[in-house]
Amino acid sequence: PLRVQVSPLTQIVDVGRSASLRCLVSGSPIHSVVWLKDGVPLAELENGPSSSPRFQVGPREVLKLVRVHPDDAGMYQCLASNDFTTGQDSSQIRLGSVLPELVYRFSEQTIQPGPSVSLKCTAVGNPPPQFTWTLDGFALPESERFLVGQYVTIHDNVISHVNITQARDEDGGLYACQARNAMGIALHTGRLNIY
């Protein structure tokens, strides 16, 4: 019978670094060895090593991930088969630290005094980033008209917003949202113009 063992069982990899998984197959005959990620075939090893820009399969069924991308997190499965039987084992790659990245930014607005205004930024990163907001380079005014909120979605997006009720002309200026974690900072600035 074919027996398959993938090592390591779990790996935590920082984005941009490389990672390797080894598939040890015992038993015979071995007709094919296939790597899958989340159930989708990556490469077939019947005709020797094959490669793609991010995934390289080398001798002895070693799968190398070159410059890990956020999309590379998931379950990797090694599947060996012959005419009579198949064997498989799997390994999980989880992301380590990831620089914050802004995936949504508020746009510049021009309004009359009076209405409410909402400015929003959304970021991803690991550990999840924390937001700070500034107006013209300083902390937001201490006012009950300014409400700052932040929450995390089920997809690990961090959403932060500034809600300003009854906007006044002095609320205009250059607003900045800054997402920060242990890896670094992502920043967006945009102007709120009030007549």
Side-chain angles (χ1 to χ4, degrees):
L2 294 179
R3 285 187 299 283
V4 178
Q5 184 180 5
V6 175
S7 61
L9 280 175
T10 305
Q11 217 173 144
I12 299 174
V13 186
D14 291 346
V15 168
R17 299 284 173 95
S18 62
S20 292
L21 299 172
R22 180 150 188 236
C23 180
L24 183 64
V25 182
S26 58
S28 66
I30 301 168
H31 288 173
S32 71
V33 178
V34 179
W35 280 100
L36 302 98
K37 178 192 178 286
D38 299 327
V40 178
L42 279 187
E44 284 213 15
L45 303 179
E46 292 168 321
N47 304 320
S50 61
S51 66
S52 74
R54 285 212 318 266
F55 302 105
Q56 296 175 356
V57 181
R60 292 197 284 284
E61 286 75 46
V62 172
L63 173 66
K64 183 165 185 172
L65 285 74
V66 180
R67 286 188 300 283
V68 167
H69 186 270
D71 295 340
D72 295 339
M75 294 300 294
Y76 288 79
Q77 184 180 20
C78 181
L79 185 69
S81 61
N82 60 28
D83 291 340
F84 311 105
T85 184
T86 61
Q88 68 90 26
D89 194 20
S90 59
S91 172
Q92 183 181 24
I93 290 188
R94 300 198 332 246
L95 293 182
S97 300
V98 181
L99 270 165
E101 180 186 352
L102 291 169
V103 293
Y104 177 84
R105 303 162 184 82
F106 65 91
S107 54
E108 190 165 302
Q109 297 181 48
T110 302
I111 62 166
Q112 299 275 5
S116 296
V117 182
S118 185
L119 307 175
K120 185 172 89 169
C121 285
T122 304
V124 294
N126 191 32
Q130 292 288 316
F131 273 97
T132 54
W133 288 82
T134 58
L135 169 56
D136 293 329
F138 297 98
L140 295 181
E142 292 285 331
S143 165
E144 67 278 356
R145 295 186 305 105
F146 281 75
L147 176 67
V148 180
Q150 176 175 308
Y151 62 96
V152 182
T153 69
I154 58 168
H155 301 294
D156 291 330
N157 288 358
V158 181
I159 298 175
S160 183
H161 57 82
V162 173
N163 293 335
I164 308 167
T165 54
Q166 296 173 334
R168 301 175 184 167
D169 55 357
E170 66 261 27
D171 300 336
L174 190 66
Y175 283 81
C177 66
Q178 177 179 289
R180 174 194 296 263
N181 70 8
M183 293 291 290
I185 296 170
L187 176 71
H188 170 69
T189 58
R191 190 162 286 284
L192 175 62
N193 302 303
I194 300 178
Y195 289 119

